[in-house]
Amino acid sequence: MEYFYAQDNLSLGQMAARWVARELLACPDLVLGLPTGSTPIEMYQYLARLVQEGLISFTQARTFNLDEYVGLTVDHPQSYAFFMHEHFWSKVDMPKGNADIPRGDVSNLAAECHRYDDAIQRAGGIGLQILGLGLNGHIGFNEPSHNMEIHTHVVDLSVATIQANTRFFPNSDAVPRQAITMGVGNIMQAQKILLMVSGERKRDILTKTLYGPVSTEVPSSVLQLHADLTVITDIKL
Ligand code: GLP
């Protein structure tokens, strides 16, 4: 594991963006796994700036998002598709067809999960998976549980996650109760993983993630078993 300390969320985003840029320059047809949430926003902004300055290009890259809420259309302001359009897709030079995200608004969710796993496979798997960290240790939307799902699947969101994500919705009743997420297997099969963690309130879960027992009750702890994990954080452990 490599561990980089950033002063604050802004420098964390910039460090992560430079790290991604380095990977992209070495491998222009990189397959990226992408997160949403507050933590990566600065990274997306900085990547867009590097593209605008002509220093990097996403024209040959492909991206797969980690997750999406069930029931939200792509133009719903709280959908992750909307977030990605707003913060990244509309700002960089990647062809539209190169960006994929699970559709949460389809009638056959099981078929959508299969489609997504297939698409990742056909792209040759994820080269670099970027992750945020849920307060309860979720990665993507893989919630604490007695078992771990390998493939893309539909998940019931935990009470803690619904509470944590209420800040983006008018009230907690408006937060979707389910999501589609890549499984832990999809994530762990990535060649490289970059974990971004910001804010004191995540100190405890970051400690458990990196140094606690590997347990399905802390899904992020499985990252200890990955051969190429980099952590960028503004929390000094
Ligand atoms: C969300 C997402 C995760 C994200 C996490 C942390 O629920 N499903 O992929 O990493 O929560 O979000 P934030 O960065 O806002 O703390």
Side-chain angles (χ1 to χ4, degrees), residues 8 13 16 20 24 38-39 42 61 63 68 73 77 114-115 128 161 165 171 175 180 201 204 211 216 220 226 235:
D8 49 31
V20 173
L24 190 64
S38 328
T39 313
E42 306 286 354
T63 66
E68 178 60 284
T73 56
H114 283 128
R115 178 199 73 77
L128 169 59
T161 297
N165 290 1
N171 54 58
V175 184
I180 297 193
R201 69 202 173 102
D204 184 45
Y211 305 114
T216 57
S220 51
H226 196 275
I235 307 164

Side-chain angles (χ1 to χ4, degrees), residues 12-26:
L12 185 149
Q14 295 188 350
M15 279 170 80
R18 285 195 206 102
W19 203 92
V20 173
R22 193 193 62 189
E23 294 295 314
L24 190 64
L25 286 169

